[in-house]
Amino acid sequence: MSSIRFERISRTFRVGGQLVPALADIDLHVDEREFVAIVGPSGCGKTTLLRMAAGLDHPTSGRVLVGGRPVTGPGPDRAVVFQQFALFPWKTIRDNIGFGLKCTGVSRAQREPIVERYLKVMGLDGHGDAYPHQLSGGMQQRVALARSYALEPEVLLMDEPFGALDAQTRIDMQEELIRLSRVHPRTVLFITHSVDEAVYLADRVVAMDRRPGRVREIMDIAQIRRSEKWGELPVEEVMDLESFNHLRTRIWRLLRRGDGEASGHGVVDNPPLRTQPAQKTKLRRAQ
Amino acid sequence: MALATQHPGLRWLPYSLAGAAIFLAVWSLLPQAGIVPSALLPSPMAVGKTFFELTQEPFAGYTIQQHLLSSFIRFASGFGLAAAIGVPLGLLMGWYRWLDRAVAPIFETIRFIAPIAWLPFAVLWFGTGIGGPILIIFSGAFPACLINAYRGARLTQGFLIEAAETLGAKPRHIITEVVMPSALPSIVAGLRIGAGVGWQSLIGAELIVVSSGVGYLMVQGQGNLATEKVMAGMVAIGCVGVLIDVALRAAERHFRRFEQA
Ligand SMILES: Nc1ncnc2c1ncn2[C@@H]1O[C@H](COP(=O)(O)OP(=O)(O)O)[C@@H](O)[C@H]1O
Ligand SMILES: [Mg+2]
């Protein structure tokens, strides 16, 4: 059991004494082993939604269930892949990948073969003893993926994981993800800025509105992807298909229409500063 | 020129040498030209000569190396104790708010008391034993050790802590594997400051409470009006202080190597 359910979720932030509704009335579910992508303008609450499934943030009203159980906090059953990679700079690649296993009590002898396997799977052989800053962005994100996969979580939560990568690396990583999910399908909630990426990867694509964040429309593309065998084709061929282009155009239209009033606000997505307030509360948790 | 481009640090060596030469020249001239009586300000040559003699013949019971060694052992004990308590306490205060709230008011008040102010109690509690100097070095080094560990812990990137939590880390993992390594550069900077203050306070303590050590040597020298012995002691203090600082600075560089530009 590893489905994700958001039940009538609302989330209001207090910013300088003012209440800002970030998410309103979200009903959404990701079935077991389903890949759901969320697209939407900056500031529509995508990250907030994913953080709630991770247990890093909590709804003002409504509830989040993973595997039928309410989420109370973060845990190794739900791996999170962050846009800024969030690797530990002082640990080698090997120790980064093994960190979750170490924390969950897997002995060194048992960790070693698992770490080696994921080094290989992610094409990181020979880099096990390097430190994160010695690797390229694409490789760092592969380490972050390996670190999550090593725990073999049933649920993967990915917040614009390829957003910081160049176009070429991004496509490689997308194909990698498709390949990995064929080997071991997982429940995935995937957030992206890129409509192409969403349509290429997901079984369903959720388009969101902002101010406050709501679900605008959900498009089911699992049928098409299966019947046309997208998963077995290279990215560029899928992107050439008429069905693919039809879908992405539809989503683009949706987003444009929904964004009419809200556009031009210049909201920066994932501003680096947003880790600052979170950090204060994080370090002050055990009162 | 070729040497200077290969070792950028050497580019400034001539300036450092020139500065030292001018300093020594002025120092030699003052007593030599009769501006200051040489009994009040011994010349560098006289100090150097006395220093050499002190390494050969015992003064105030020991040679200067033995005095230095006994000073250094006191320093290492007091400083080690300050680091062993201050660093973990600072880290834990950075993580547990209740501990911060419990300790901070007392600590913030006590840290403004100069180390040497503990001297009466050092004598009262420990007599001439090693406990007195250790108490004084401890009170000199402890605040910097604690404060810097605390600040380092508080500046740990929130997203790294969150990442660790999603990977199943419990508080003890987060403190030892995320907060501590992340705070390490700050911790080492604190140790460096603490060591400096501790070493200074030690000499102050030795002027009064003990019967060996560089401070004691200086007091004995003063008693004999042997100003060049006092100054040889000062030179020794400066040199050992520089060595301690150089060692900790190397450690600091080592622990900063992960910081990205
Ligand atoms: N910790 C926070 N404090 C205050 N406001 C926040 C916080 N996190 C998010 N917000 C606000 O909530 C809204 C949604 O943010 P976010 O979930 O990051 O959107 P997205 O990921 O879709 O760009 C934004 O308006 C943002 O400014
Ligand atoms: Mg976001």
Side-chain angles (χ1 to χ4, degrees):
Chain A
M1 274 297 284
S2 60
S3 61
I4 307 170
R5 303 197 73 86
F6 297 95
E7 293 183 346
R8 299 187 61 87
I9 293 287
S10 299
R11 177 66 165 102
T12 308
F13 287 106
R14 186 181 290 275
V15 182
Q18 268 194 318
L19 294 177
V20 181
L23 290 170
D25 220 13
I26 304 272
D27 259 309
L28 184 67
H29 64 94
V30 185
D31 290 334
E32 193 161 346
R33 303 192 168 187
E34 190 187 20
F35 195 125
V36 169
I38 301 182
V39 292
S42 292
C44 72
K46 305 182 294 292
T47 296
T48 306
L49 200 60
L50 179 131
R51 288 172 58 83
M52 287 178 184
L56 296 170
D57 193 6
H58 301 282
T60 311
S61 68
R63 53 180 201 158
V64 189
L65 306 171
V66 172
R69 277 196 303 273
V71 172
T72 53
D77 55 322
R78 286 150 289 139
V80 184
V81 181
F82 300 88
Q83 180 174 7
Q84 39 337 12
F85 315 145
L87 299 176
F88 304 114
W90 48 80
K91 286 186 184 293
T92 62
I93 300 310
R94 200 170 263 120
D95 289 345
N96 263 284
I97 298 176
F99 180 74
L101 295 164
K102 185 175 178 184
C103 291
T104 50
V106 179
S107 74
R108 179 182 292 272
Q110 284 174 301
R111 289 205 297 272
E112 239 161 60
I114 302 174
V115 170
E116 289 308 315
R117 190 167 87 237
Y118 281 102
L119 277 171
K120 195 160 284 152
V121 167
M122 292 294 173
L124 294 162
D125 324 66
H127 296 286
D129 297 318
Y131 287 91
H133 73 267
Q134 297 170 313
L135 303 188
S136 67
M139 286 174 120
Q140 290 189 32
Q141 192 55 299
R142 269 202 277 269
V143 177
L145 275 176
R147 185 175 69 173
S148 296
Y149 271 83
L151 284 167
E152 316 220 311
E154 289 307 311
V155 176
L156 266 179
L157 307 168
M158 308 175 86
D159 190 359
E160 304 198 26
F162 310 145
L165 306 180
D166 61 83
Q168 177 59 48
T169 313
R170 187 170 185 144
I171 285 174
D172 292 344
M173 294 296 291
Q174 289 166 356
E175 284 184 333
E176 191 84 43
L177 196 60
I178 290 279
R179 192 173 60 76
L180 288 166
S181 63
R182 242 201 336 258
V183 179
H184 186 154
R186 290 179 159 87
T187 308
V188 184
L189 184 61
F190 187 98
I191 288 172
T192 177
H193 250 133
S194 156
V195 173
D196 285 13
E197 187 167 83
V199 176
Y200 175 66
L201 292 172
D203 297 318
R204 283 192 295 150
V205 178
V206 178
M208 284 181 66
D209 273 343
R210 72 173 155 197
R211 279 163 216 281
R214 288 179 199 279
V215 173
R216 182 176 188 87
E217 194 166 320
I218 303 178
M219 242 157 301
D220 197 330
I221 56 181
Q223 200 70 48
I224 299 173
R225 109 183 287 97
R226 221 166 337 183
S227 64
E228 296 187 356
K229 295 191 166 44
W230 288 7
E232 289 155 44
L233 301 174
V235 177
E236 62 275 16
E237 279 184 38
V238 175
M239 289 190 172
D240 233 12
L241 295 170
E242 202 179 320
S243 51
F244 182 93
N245 279 295
H246 178 72
L247 279 164
R248 73 190 274 265
T249 311
R250 243 185 82 195
I251 296 170
W252 267 120
R253 285 223 180 87
L254 257 172
L255 293 174
R256 289 288 292 272
R257 198 147 25 95
D259 210 26
E261 171 255 352
S263 67
H265 278 280
V267 178
V268 180
D269 197 41
N270 279 326
L273 271 177
R274 62 160 296 158
T275 57
Q276 293 304 104
Q279 155 207 331
K280 289 225 174 72
T281 54
K282 274 291 78 129
L283 269 173
R284 299 314 211 164
R285 38 213 298 288
Q287 322 197 19
Chain B
M1 215 40 223
L3 192 66
T5 40
Q6 273 165 24
H7 302 272
L10 286 183
R11 221 178 107 201
W12 303 108
L13 189 62
Y15 294 90
S16 306
L17 290 177
I22 291 170
F23 174 78
L24 288 174
V26 172
W27 178 6
S28 323
L29 272 172
L30 287 176
Q32 220 160 38
I35 302 168
V36 181
S38 59
L40 298 188
L41 185 66
S43 73
M45 290 304 290
V47 172
K49 189 163 152 283
T50 307
F51 192 101
F52 180 74
E53 284 165 9
L54 287 171
T55 63
Q56 307 297 313
E57 295 158 29
F59 175 74
Y62 308 96
T63 62
I64 195 165
Q65 301 95 300
Q66 289 166 323
H67 282 297
L68 271 173
L69 183 66
S70 87
S71 291
F72 189 80
I73 288 169
R74 290 187 192 112
F75 163 78
S77 318
F79 174 65
L81 201 62
I85 299 175
V87 170
L89 187 59
L91 289 176
L92 291 172
M93 282 168 68
W95 183 254
Y96 293 107
R97 180 168 217 163
W98 62 266
L99 189 63
D100 185 8
R101 287 292 156 90
V103 175
I106 305 164
F107 172 74
E108 288 295 334
T109 312
I110 290 181
R111 80 186 174 94
F112 286 108
I113 301 167
I116 211 76
W118 289 99
L119 222 142
F121 289 100
V123 177
L124 207 59
W125 295 341
F126 301 101
T128 52
I130 193 175
I134 288 180
L135 172 69
I136 290 176
I137 300 155
F138 178 88
S139 64
F142 183 73
C145 294
L146 186 145
I147 291 172
N148 283 274
Y150 173 80
R151 291 212 180 117
R154 293 301 313 276
L155 288 176
T156 307
Q157 302 264 25
F159 69 86
L160 289 181
I161 293 171
E162 290 188 342
E165 285 178 325
T166 65
L167 290 163
K170 291 154 201 75
R172 79 189 142 93
H173 297 121
I174 295 177
I175 291 169
T176 58
E177 307 226 17
V178 183
V179 174
M180 213 264 281
S182 155
L184 209 50
S186 177
I187 292 172
V188 180
L191 293 182
R192 221 184 112 199
I193 299 167
V197 181
W199 182 242
Q200 288 173 23
S201 329
L202 165 71
I203 304 304
E206 285 184 342
L207 293 176
I208 305 175
V209 284
V210 289
S211 52
S212 68
V214 194
Y216 178 70
L217 177 148
M218 287 162 64
V219 174
Q220 295 301 306
Q222 185 198 10
N224 298 353
L225 293 178
T227 46
E228 67 291 341
K229 288 203 175 76
V230 178
M231 211 156 252
M234 289 163 70
V235 170
I237 291 165
C239 292
V240 172
V242 167
L243 288 179
I244 293 171
D245 199 60
V246 165
L248 285 169
R249 210 182 304 190
E252 203 174 347
R253 254 199 311 281
H254 177 75
F255 290 121
R256 282 194 189 279
R257 71 191 189 280
F258 302 120
E259 285 181 7
Q260 277 143 297

